[in-house]
Amino acid sequence: MKLVYPAIFSPLEEKKGYCVTFPDLPGAVTEGDTLADALEMAVNCAGLWVLDELEDGNEVPKASEPSNITLESKDDFINLIVLDVDAYAEKYGQKAIRKNCTIPAWLNTISEKEHLNYSAILQEALIEKLHLNF
């Protein structure tokens, strides 16, 4: 899944570089010493913010139209940031959530003799069942 969000780049007054905020991602703020660094940090910041929301079971917010965003300073500018959420999930995801399940005693006995990892098997089965491409 690819998402596009507007990011506001504001020059830092006290040092070189840019502060980056996202009108649609509350609390997501980053900065970079150069424009290239700020762009890279913006993609990382937004990508991790969205991934965290998805892992918590929340919907990701709809992106604002850049033309509807009011800038606070004449030196600020908007740039669109492209997020590859699938790539972030593969690289940074896997926040562990504890789930309890019940299996027949006989199946547990055989599985323990084989030293099977229940968590790994459940993850593989869910990914296959849901047709996910991680």
Side-chain angles (χ1 to χ4, degrees), residues 4-125:
V4 177
Y5 283 101
I8 299 173
F9 288 75
S10 305
L12 296 170
E13 293 179 14
E14 59 278 353
K15 60 181 182 176
K16 290 184 178 182
Y18 296 87
C19 177
V20 185
T21 57
F22 302 87
D24 305 307
L25 311 177
V29 179
T30 190
E31 65 179 52
D33 293 333
T34 65
L35 183 55
D37 289 339
L39 283 165
E40 183 177 354
M41 295 299 291
V43 170
N44 286 334
C45 179
L48 293 173
W49 191 99
V50 168
L51 180 60
D52 190 50
E53 287 297 299
L54 291 172
E55 287 185 338
D56 286 345
N58 300 323
E59 301 258 338
V60 294
K62 185 177 182 235
S64 297
E65 287 294 326
S67 59
N68 295 334
I69 298 171
T70 303
L71 299 175
E72 293 182 17
S73 167
K74 65 177 179 60
D75 296 327
D76 294 353
F77 63 91
I78 296 171
N79 195 59
L80 296 176
I81 302 298
V82 179
L83 308 177
D84 185 342
V85 178
D86 295 332
Y88 269 86
E90 186 175 326
K91 187 172 182 180
Y92 299 110
Q94 311 303 327
K95 177 178 166 181
I97 304 295
R98 184 168 183 78
K99 292 289 184 186
N100 292 331
C101 66
T102 304
I103 62 171
W106 64 266
L107 186 56
N108 183 61
T109 302
I110 295 170
S111 299
E112 285 181 346
K113 285 181 182 176
E114 294 295 320
H115 304 288
L116 298 179
N117 181 323
Y118 295 112
S119 295
I121 292 169
L122 179 58
Q123 288 177 46
E124 291 167 4

